[in-house]
Amino acid sequence: MSTWPQCAMIYDGTFSGFLTCVAESFRTKEYPFYFLPPGTEQISLYPLREIHTDPALARTVYQALEDQVSAAFRRIVTYSFLTCLPQKERHIFDVVYLGFLQALPQDMTDDRLLILERAVHHLTHEAHQYKGFLRFSDYGGVLVGQITPKNRVLPLLRPHFCQRLPNEAFLIHDKTHREGLFYADHKWKLRPVDHLDLDRPDQAELECRALWRRFYHTIAIESRHNPKCRMTHMPKRFWGDMTEFQEDPA
């Protein structure tokens, strides 16, 4: 257990911002009890520290995660930040503190590591599911897909779809986290997307959707209809963004 005095850190919510918090914590010898987004109005029993993101300092910490511990350690820290784990920053910091100043438990069932391992497994499994469940629609030559994930899966989906569709222009919109993956001319960017207004699909796109739904229902074997099994392999929370479960716009 750390003997450092505890504090609360306010930061911008980015991974670079979090790594800057890590650097500041080790510089001031203060242990962040929790992390807050900017503009939070909350009474705190701990001193509040507002941390301004320093990209150069963040890169130094990012490299140190591998140099001082291991590449696998840096991966779990990076992936953990993409998860929907409640109070993820505090859980990640607990493990970073162990990695830098003490020693990581060799027992992977240690609660501090197990929490992150489970969160990362949930993240990677969800990203794997979206590789099969993501549906694109053609809007004037640009493929657009919308998803509603629990975790921030776009960074994990990027390599797959950029390699799968190298000569296309596409946008994958994460409605949950309000961000988008843009790809065109063999270049990609991740950008905030608060809201996406799409025009009505043209007739060719509507016909393509209708054909896909017809194919989906045609290959079904009525005598083997098993809703419970289908929801096991294709959880219902994905259906809202899948063409085969949608109706054409009026």
Side-chain angles (χ1 to χ4, degrees):
M1 183 68 180
S2 173
T3 58
W4 293 356
Q6 294 181 328
C7 69
M9 289 188 169
I10 301 174
Y11 81 116
D12 64 2
T14 66
F15 187 51
S16 290
F18 172 72
L19 294 179
T20 305
C21 289
V22 172
E24 284 299 303
S25 172
F26 278 79
R27 184 184 69 83
T28 61
K29 300 294 189 293
E30 291 181 305
Y31 203 100
F33 185 77
Y34 53 81
F35 297 78
L36 301 169
T40 300
E41 295 182 2
Q42 181 171 337
I43 298 175
S44 173
L45 299 176
Y46 303 96
L48 289 175
R49 302 285 183 258
E50 185 170 359
I51 308 299
H52 299 285
T53 300
D54 183 333
L57 189 57
R59 286 193 294 270
T60 299
V61 176
Y62 183 71
Q63 187 60 47
L65 294 172
E66 179 174 345
D67 293 344
Q68 296 187 30
V69 189
S70 69
F73 179 73
R74 184 168 74 176
R75 178 185 182 275
I76 193 172
V77 168
T78 304
Y79 276 32
S80 294
F81 195 80
L82 299 174
T83 69
C84 59
L85 177 68
Q87 301 181 21
K88 62 186 177 185
E89 298 95 338
R90 172 62 192 276
H91 291 297
I92 298 170
F93 187 86
D94 288 344
V95 171
V96 170
Y97 180 86
L98 288 173
F100 281 169
L101 286 188
Q102 297 184 9
L104 288 176
Q106 296 301 308
D107 182 4
M108 293 305 292
T109 62
D110 182 280
D111 285 345
R112 293 163 294 188
L113 290 175
L114 190 59
I115 288 173
L116 296 188
E117 287 284 354
R118 285 174 172 170
V120 169
H121 176 75
H122 184 256
L123 162 76
T124 55
H125 180 64
E126 185 177 41
H128 176 73
Q129 288 177 307
Y130 270 116
K131 292 176 183 178
F133 296 155
L134 176 59
R135 303 290 183 258
F136 287 102
S137 294
D138 191 324
Y139 288 88
V142 177
L143 301 179
V144 178
Q146 293 188 292
I147 57 177
T148 315
K150 295 180 180 179
N151 301 281
R152 290 186 59 226
V153 297
L154 287 184
L156 276 66
L157 294 179
R158 178 192 60 77
H160 174 81
F161 285 103
C162 289
Q163 293 172 15
R164 185 79 177 270
L165 306 168
N167 299 315
E168 303 287 348
F170 66 80
L171 161 63
I172 302 176
H173 179 215
D174 178 346
K175 294 184 287 185
T176 306
H177 304 93
R178 295 184 295 180
E179 63 182 354
L181 169 62
F182 297 82
Y183 178 84
D185 298 325
H186 304 283
K187 298 178 182 178
W188 63 268
K189 290 183 179 179
L190 279 169
R191 289 290 184 266
V193 179
D194 287 334
H195 182 69
L196 188 63
D197 289 316
L198 295 171
D199 293 334
R200 189 179 189 278
D202 61 22
Q203 189 59 35
E205 171 61 27
L206 293 176
E207 291 175 358
C208 185
R209 293 183 186 183
L211 286 172
W212 175 248
R213 281 192 291 271
R214 184 183 303 172
F215 169 76
Y216 176 78
H217 293 295
T218 299
I219 64 171
I221 302 174
E222 186 174 352
S223 61
R224 294 185 179 181
H225 182 60
N226 188 334
K228 186 176 180 179
C229 180
R230 179 172 65 171
M231 283 189 286
T232 298
H233 296 283
M234 185 186 292
K236 199 168 184 177
R237 69 182 182 88
F238 293 97
W239 294 8
D241 297 315
M242 298 179 70
T243 307
E244 50 266 49
F245 297 105
Q246 297 174 348
E247 298 293 333
D248 286 332

